[in-house]
Amino acid sequence: MARGPMERALMNYDPMAKLTDDILVDIISRLPYKSTCCCKCVSTHWRDLFWHPDHRKKLPCPLAGFFHEGYNKNRFPSSARYFTNVSGEGEPLINPALSFLPRYDSLDILDGCNGLLLCRCWKPTDPKTLDYVVCNPITEKWVLVPATEWSSKVDVARLGFEPSVASHFYVFEFIDEEAWGIPESEQSDFFGCIEQLAIYSSKTGVWRHHSLKFFEFEVPKNSTSIFLNGILHFSISYHMMVAIDVEGSDWTVVGIPMPAKYEVEHGDAIFLSQRQLYATDCTAGSGLSVWALEDLDREKWTLKHNVSHLQLFGPWYSAAANRFSVVSFHPERNMIFIVFGHDNILMSYEMDCRKACLICKLGQDCQVQYGKTRYITYVPSFSDSWH
């Protein structure tokens, strides 16, 4: 990349100016996100590094937006898939149709992890059969994952991918008693109880099944999950979270902070930000509380932030106080994203300065109450080194 006259002159005074672009990019790629943003302001040369095709694969990308679905019984088809930019403005940065994939009868986005998406793609067969597809919507690379014989009856599957650790990915398929084929008379009293966990590794190309007899639990369809340090963390019913390693051998069940009087059967939401796992308490009347998981083994949660509904929503309090949901955390900032009100308005809330900002109106068919819609946070990845 050519350097300007001023930058060439500075090379005689600035030791950093003598570094090659490859070395400079390697250094910047190891910095926290906020520091990389500052690097863009050092010079035009440093700014251009972020956009050069050879370097942007290695450098962190900003949050792009959210995949989510909507439902309207008066529309055909009744369901629709959307991508909303984090700015709330302009055409979607990502085409939610994922039209680069092979043609299927229908397609569902089940999960997203570090720039990749896990899709369930239904074939026009009778009975219904499907493929799992893992793809990168930025580079349009995709990989077919063979379905198990239970996949067409499974509601919940999740994706695990950590490019800083390994180039391969994992798919986790939760098979309940009914899907597994256990007679109704022999099934647990716990509706939707998971019988088997199937884990697929793209490194080996095979599924491995693990029996879950030690603990009865349900994984709600729109349960949130986090893949961190080789462990899948996912929320289950009754204010609990399960953590399991990729071998399916190490399980941990952790309670999620929530008032005892607040009893719901759908899963609570867990989030990831700055490599820290968080849970939120949105109970009516008590405001919004944000908890950080400090120690998984000791089930230690620390209260990170607390704000009343009135402070959080201000002039929108009457429309939002009893109708809102936290849908995401910013991956690199102390910021959360909330959808509230009858028209499902997307807003951001900066915890450090306690500042709320309206982003856009999503519309009445993008319901968030009671886990009806799952918002998948998407941070682009320009790398194609995964497989």
Side-chain angles (χ1 to χ4, degrees):
M1 186 181 295
R3 300 177 186 265
M6 181 176 294
E7 288 169 334
R8 289 196 297 270
L10 287 174
M11 289 181 66
N12 297 324
Y13 305 98
D14 182 9
M16 290 292 290
K18 297 181 180 181
L19 297 176
T20 65
D21 288 349
D22 288 339
I23 294 176
L24 188 58
V25 167
D26 186 64
I27 294 172
I28 296 174
S29 68
R30 301 170 189 271
L31 297 175
Y33 177 76
K34 290 182 180 179
S35 298
T36 62
C37 293
C38 295
C39 289
K40 296 180 183 180
C41 303
V42 171
S43 67
T44 56
H45 175 66
W46 281 38
R47 180 201 63 196
D48 293 342
L49 286 176
F50 284 80
W51 295 105
H52 194 281
D54 293 339
H55 302 314
R56 65 183 182 182
K57 297 179 181 180
K58 304 175 184 178
L59 295 170
C61 295
L63 171 64
F66 313 95
F67 286 97
H68 56 99
E69 293 189 350
Y71 177 82
N72 187 330
K73 65 180 181 180
N74 298 318
R75 178 182 59 202
F76 183 82
S78 57
S79 61
R81 185 166 55 251
Y82 303 95
F83 184 86
T84 298
N85 300 337
V86 70
S87 67
E89 301 176 347
E91 292 296 316
L93 297 174
I94 309 293
N95 180 1
L98 304 181
S99 54
F100 61 89
L101 293 178
R103 188 175 181 84
Y104 285 92
D105 197 43
S106 63
L107 181 151
D108 305 314
I109 299 178
L110 300 180
D111 200 15
C113 189
N114 289 312
L116 302 186
L117 298 176
L118 172 63
C119 302
R120 177 171 54 197
C121 304
W122 293 96
K123 302 175 183 178
T125 57
D126 186 16
K128 286 286 190 178
T129 58
L130 61 88
D131 289 327
Y132 286 122
V133 172
V134 174
C135 67
N136 183 334
I138 289 292
T139 64
E140 299 189 353
K141 176 182 176 179
W142 58 273
V143 172
L144 195 68
V145 175
T148 70
E149 62 180 282
W150 302 275
S151 296
S152 61
K153 302 176 183 179
V154 167
D155 286 331
V156 181
R158 294 292 178 257
L159 177 65
F161 177 57
E162 278 186 293
S164 61
V165 176
S167 58
H168 52 273
F169 61 84
Y170 300 89
V171 177
F172 300 80
E173 186 179 72
F174 296 87
I175 308 171
D176 65 24
E177 291 177 321
E178 182 179 358
W180 188 251
I182 295 179
E184 185 176 354
S185 60
E186 300 177 18
Q187 293 180 18
S188 166
D189 293 333
F190 199 92
F191 179 78
C193 182
I194 302 300
E195 174 69 19
Q196 293 273 325
L197 172 64
I199 303 177
Y200 175 86
S201 167
S202 65
K203 183 178 182 179
T204 63
V206 297
W207 289 92
R208 296 179 62 187
H209 288 80
H210 307 271
S211 178
L212 305 181
K213 294 296 187 182
F214 73 98
F215 178 60
E216 293 185 349
F217 66 90
E218 169 206 8
V219 182
K221 183 177 180 180
N222 292 308
S223 164
T224 55
S225 64
I226 302 297
F227 190 73
L228 179 65
N229 298 326
I231 297 175
L232 181 72
H233 308 74
F234 56 95
S235 59
I236 61 176
S237 302
Y238 300 104
H239 323 310
M240 290 186 288
M241 177 188 76
V242 176
I244 182 172
D245 66 357
V246 295
E247 300 300 325
S249 57
D250 188 9
W251 289 77
T252 304
V253 181
V254 180
I256 296 176
M258 194 69 62
K261 66 179 181 179
Y262 186 63
E263 297 182 359
V264 293
E265 297 183 2
H266 59 82
D268 300 300
I270 56 174
F271 305 97
L272 182 68
S273 179
Q274 302 167 85
R275 297 192 64 79
Q276 175 86 56
L277 196 146
Y278 293 93
T280 57
D281 171 12
C282 304
T283 55
S286 63
L288 170 66
S289 299
V290 177
W291 296 83
L293 182 62
E294 303 291 350
D295 191 308
L296 178 65
D297 294 329
R298 293 192 297 151
E299 300 186 36
K300 181 182 178 181
W301 295 86
T302 300
L303 182 63
K304 179 182 176 67
H305 189 82
N306 190 52
V307 59
S308 71
H309 290 159
L310 184 58
Q311 290 176 307
L312 178 62
F313 295 108
W316 314 295
Y317 172 76
S318 60
N322 294 315
R323 189 185 175 89
F324 79 97
S325 179
V326 176
V327 298
S328 182
F329 273 50
H330 194 287
E332 298 293 346
R333 296 170 60 181
N334 292 326
M335 175 184 286
I336 61 179
F337 295 92
I338 296 170
V339 173
F340 73 88
H342 183 67
D343 290 326
N344 295 293
I345 297 171
L346 176 66
M347 65 173 276
S348 64
Y349 174 71
E350 190 86 50
M351 288 184 282
D352 292 339
C353 61
R354 295 177 174 266
K355 180 181 179 181
C357 179
L358 297 186
I359 297 176
C360 66
K361 182 186 295 186
L362 299 175
Q364 295 182 13
D365 62 342
C366 298
Q367 298 296 318
V368 298
Q369 300 299 311
Y370 312 111
K372 290 183 179 179
T373 295
R374 181 167 177 242
Y375 287 72
I376 297 175
T377 303
Y378 187 72
V379 177
S381 170
F382 290 92
S383 174
D384 266 343
S385 60
W386 60 278
H387 57 84

